[in-house]
Amino acid sequence: MKYVSLGNPLWSGHCQLAGGPRRVAMSALAYGAVLVAAFLVMRRFEQSLAINVVAAQAMGYLSGIQLFWLIVAGSNSVLRIFARDHQTRMIESLRMAPMSTPVVILGYLIGPVIPILALWLIGVAVGLGLAILGGAGGANDWILGNLLLLITSASAWMMVVFLGSGLRQPVNVVLVVYIACWVLHMADQTLRFLPGVAMFTGTYV
């Protein structure tokens, strides 16, 4: 397949390692088809409920899936790629490459999660369709919530790089902290200090 430039050499490289833009796009479309099929199955088993109620329930499940993709899978992907390049000294070679610091930082921040961002965008689109079915102006809330989740996730990805790269055995420190607080302090005040979790789990309205 012909090499496709995404405007950042690291983005393009990571996208090629993921199978190329075509494979990423096909995987995202297949994921969207699975989401739609899951909703249709859910609707079939909940025929006694109005379609807007079923759509609202499906959006609740989809919110959890969106949270999983960006926080869990995204942070793991960033850590895995960064740790690999750190151990193979690829990062040291990048210092001599004709790339500015912002290009390198954005490359490691976004490049590893390009396939995940594609799945997230499909989830946003499917959720938007569900919000329209649900009515009551849920579309704006859905889009805003997903944007806030994306910003929170980007912050988590940066913390993963800063906190996890110095360990001899790379560990997703951010994910460990989130899981520990979730298990030990479910529905407690600690969730207020975990950006995005309280909103997407419905603990605080």
Side-chain angles (χ1 to χ4, degrees):
M1 179 179 175
K2 185 178 179 181
Y3 186 80
V4 177
S5 175
L6 299 178
N8 183 307
L10 293 177
W11 294 355
S12 302
H14 289 132
C15 188
Q16 291 300 126
L17 290 175
R22 181 177 298 176
R23 181 174 179 179
V24 171
M26 292 300 294
S27 298
L29 291 175
Y31 169 67
V34 170
L35 290 180
V36 173
F39 171 72
L40 294 177
V41 171
M42 185 176 177
R43 172 58 177 164
R44 182 179 181 86
F45 281 97
E46 299 289 353
Q47 293 183 358
S48 61
L49 299 177
I51 189 170
N52 61 324
V53 176
V54 179
Q57 292 177 347
M59 287 183 66
Y61 296 129
L62 186 56
S63 295
I65 296 174
Q66 296 287 86
L67 182 67
F68 169 81
W69 283 129
L70 291 186
I71 294 292
V72 180
S75 58
N76 272 331
S77 182
V78 172
L79 177 64
R80 184 178 67 253
I81 297 298
F82 187 85
R84 181 201 64 190
D85 288 357
H86 181 75
Q87 293 170 357
T88 59
R89 299 184 181 277
M90 176 65 72
I91 293 180
E92 294 182 7
S93 67
L94 289 175
R95 294 174 181 174
M96 298 180 290
M99 291 188 292
S100 64
T101 300
V103 169
V104 175
I105 293 175
L106 289 174
Y108 275 106
L109 186 62
I110 299 177
V113 296
I114 287 178
I116 293 171
L117 288 175
L119 299 179
W120 171 77
L121 285 173
I122 290 296
V124 172
V126 172
L128 185 60
L130 293 175
I132 294 174
L133 285 176
N140 292 334
D141 293 338
W142 174 255
I143 294 176
L144 179 59
N146 274 274
L147 289 178
L148 291 175
L149 176 60
L150 179 61
I151 295 172
T152 298
S153 301
S155 300
W157 302 338
M158 287 188 286
M159 287 191 291
V160 164
V161 173
F162 290 130
L163 298 178
S165 60
L167 301 177
R168 181 171 299 180
Q169 293 293 331
V171 176
N172 191 335
V173 179
V174 172
L175 182 58
V176 171
V177 171
Y178 269 70
I179 292 177
C181 290
W182 175 263
V183 172
L184 297 176
H185 303 283
M186 286 183 62
D188 201 70
Q189 296 299 318
T190 303
L191 288 181
R192 293 181 181 272
F193 301 99
L194 298 180
V197 173
M199 178 181 65
F200 274 83
T201 56
T203 304
Y204 299 106
V205 180

